[in-house]
Amino acid sequence: MNNIPSVDLSDFLSSDPSKKQKFVNEIGRAYEEIGFVSLKNHFLDDNLVDDLYKEVKAFFDLPEDTKKAYEIEGLGGQRGYISFGKEHAKGKKEGDLKEFWHFGQDPEPDANLTEEYPENVHVKELEHFNETGMQAYRMLEKTGIYVLRALAIYIGLDEMYFDKWVKNGNSILRPIHYPPITEEPKGAVRAGAHGDINLITLLMGASAGGLQVLRKDGEWIDAIPNEDELVINVGDMLERHTNNKLRSTIHRVVNPPREEWDTPRYSIPFFMHPRSEMPLNCLEECIDAEHPKAYEDITAGEFLHQRLVEIGLIKK
């Protein structure tokens, strides 16, 4: 396997039960084998993607002082701007060569949350920045819900099992800017090798290559989706919840060849998080004699806090 498998969400949405089951089998097997797929026929249209990249590039082109005014202390980087080099991969000291922004959940009035989410930070210099970001947020959230429904069927759960946890969940949309590289990096890359924290991550096409996925045999392969496809991968929360049945695969964003150092890279992942009270206890459907329970019980909120400390966004 030299690239990630491609699956078609229209199969799952079909009225034909055999097509729906085909999608379930394909995405389930891919997530057991490599933890990544590319997905066609999702809910994010080309015009919205173009508008979002336009707004994102305009934001990162703002003066440094203007951007830093939107870096809010005390939020653990959960909303607004996070400046260059602040985040690092778990176990690494060198900061990643990136700056980014976080859009978060705008919960429904009757969400009955056990925690209060921080409010989104509004950029006054760009009239359509926040509106466009939240439109993309909703379409990626909708796509993610259907992917999780397919995975619930694959695991042997009720199809709607994840709905109650991810509806009004603590998901994050993260536009990232990897600036041009101006000098030899000292041990740092655009994004160090890591697994994602959340249930699943949905990534729209980046403006340049660089995303690589670690295969089971230890080989790094380029993750290159077809045009108009999303890259979707399993995160650590889902790996833990499924007792390692579904794989949270290590991935990275490597630095470009030297002749391309002057080229910036933009990337916009959507990290799908559940409500903080969701138990990530290993599912009984994923435990047997050959696969004993691998993890202690923990909630999504507790796990998220641990990992934000480990990657440097929350100080101990």
Side-chain angles (χ1 to χ4, degrees), residues 99-167:
E99 57 180 342
F100 53 98
W101 179 273
H102 275 163
F103 295 102
Q105 183 68 264
D106 185 11
E108 297 168 356
D110 60 351
N112 295 318
L113 296 169
T114 59
E115 66 172 326
E116 186 173 341
Y117 296 148
E119 291 188 7
N120 277 304
V121 179
H122 285 260
V123 178
K124 61 179 182 291
E125 290 82 1
L126 300 171
E127 182 181 358
H128 303 294
F129 178 79
N130 287 83
E131 176 188 0
T132 305
M134 289 310 294
Q135 285 176 354
Y137 185 108
R138 291 298 172 216
M139 293 301 99
L140 289 161
E141 183 177 54
K142 182 177 180 180
T143 301
I145 286 172
Y146 280 103
V147 169
L148 288 172
R149 286 178 182 177
L151 295 177
I153 294 171
Y154 186 76
I155 295 164
L157 304 168
D158 179 82
E159 180 177 339
M160 307 299 176
Y161 168 79
F162 288 102
D163 282 38
K164 67 178 179 180
W165 298 119
V166 295
K167 187 178 182 182

Side-chain angles (χ1 to χ4, degrees), residues 17-303:
S18 64
K19 284 189 175 181
K20 183 173 182 176
Q21 190 60 47
K22 173 177 174 284
F23 179 87
V24 169
N25 294 342
E26 286 177 345
I27 197 169
R29 283 196 297 264
Y31 282 165
E32 284 199 42
E33 180 63 27
I34 197 166
F36 272 76
V37 299
S38 57
L39 181 89
K40 66 183 73 172
N41 290 316
H42 46 80
F43 296 106
L44 199 66
D45 68 66
D46 292 343
N47 290 334
L48 180 53
V49 172
D50 291 344
D51 288 347
L52 181 57
Y53 270 106
K54 176 184 173 184
E55 294 296 326
V56 164
K57 289 175 182 178
F59 174 79
F60 288 119
D61 282 343
L62 291 172
E64 285 299 310
D65 288 347
T66 303
K67 290 186 290 188
K68 286 195 172 182
Y70 295 108
E71 191 162 27
I72 313 300
E73 292 296 325
L75 292 183
Q78 292 305 287
R79 299 291 185 274
Y81 177 65
I82 298 86
S83 54
F84 186 82
K86 278 283 181 71
E87 185 181 75
H88 56 79
K90 179 182 175 182
K92 291 270 287 183
K93 293 181 179 178
E94 298 85 7
D96 289 342
L97 305 180
K98 67 189 181 191
E99 57 180 342
F100 53 98
W101 179 273
H102 275 163
F103 295 102
Q105 183 68 264
D106 185 11
E108 297 168 356
D110 60 351
N112 295 318
L113 296 169
T114 59
E115 66 172 326
E116 186 173 341
Y117 296 148
E119 291 188 7
N120 277 304
V121 179
H122 285 260
V123 178
K124 61 179 182 291
E125 290 82 1
L126 300 171
E127 182 181 358
H128 303 294
F129 178 79
N130 287 83
E131 176 188 0
T132 305
M134 289 310 294
Q135 285 176 354
Y137 185 108
R138 291 298 172 216
M139 293 301 99
L140 289 161
E141 183 177 54
K142 182 177 180 180
T143 301
I145 286 172
Y146 280 103
V147 169
L148 288 172
R149 286 178 182 177
L151 295 177
I153 294 171
Y154 186 76
I155 295 164
L157 304 168
D158 179 82
E159 180 177 339
M160 307 299 176
Y161 168 79
F162 288 102
D163 282 38
K164 67 178 179 180
W165 298 119
V166 295
K167 187 178 182 182
N168 294 302
N170 194 19
S171 297
I172 292 287
L173 180 64
R174 173 190 281 192
I176 306 171
H177 174 221
Y178 303 93
I181 298 171
T182 56
E183 60 183 9
E184 187 73 44
K186 295 181 174 66
V189 293
R190 283 182 158 174
H194 65 284
D196 291 340
I197 300 171
N198 39 289
L199 291 171
I200 57 174
T201 300
L202 298 87
L203 175 68
M204 61 184 74
S207 64
L211 177 63
Q212 294 186 331
V213 176
L214 187 63
R215 286 193 319 211
K216 281 183 177 179
D217 63 3
E219 289 292 318
W220 288 97
I221 64 170
D222 294 322
I224 306 173
N226 294 318
E227 195 171 349
D228 301 328
E229 292 185 346
L230 297 174
V231 172
I232 306 182
N233 63 279
V234 174
D236 293 349
M237 286 185 182
L238 189 56
E239 179 178 70
R240 186 183 188 108
H241 198 36
T242 61
N243 199 38
N244 297 325
K245 180 178 179 68
L246 305 181
R247 297 185 61 219
S248 176
T249 303
I250 298 297
H251 52 285
R252 66 187 182 186
V253 179
V254 296
N255 297 333
R258 183 179 286 268
E259 60 269 20
E260 298 176 17
W261 276 12
D262 60 347
T263 304
R265 182 180 190 270
Y266 298 89
S267 174
I268 309 179
F270 178 76
F271 300 115
M272 197 156 198
H273 282 268
R275 293 167 175 250
S276 62
E277 67 267 28
M278 178 184 180
L280 296 180
N281 309 351
C282 297
L283 291 162
E284 292 181 5
E285 290 80 2
C286 301
I287 299 172
D288 57 30
E290 293 183 6
H291 306 91
K293 182 179 178 181
Y295 302 103
E296 295 179 358
D297 295 349
I298 194 170
T299 66
E302 291 165 341
F303 184 72

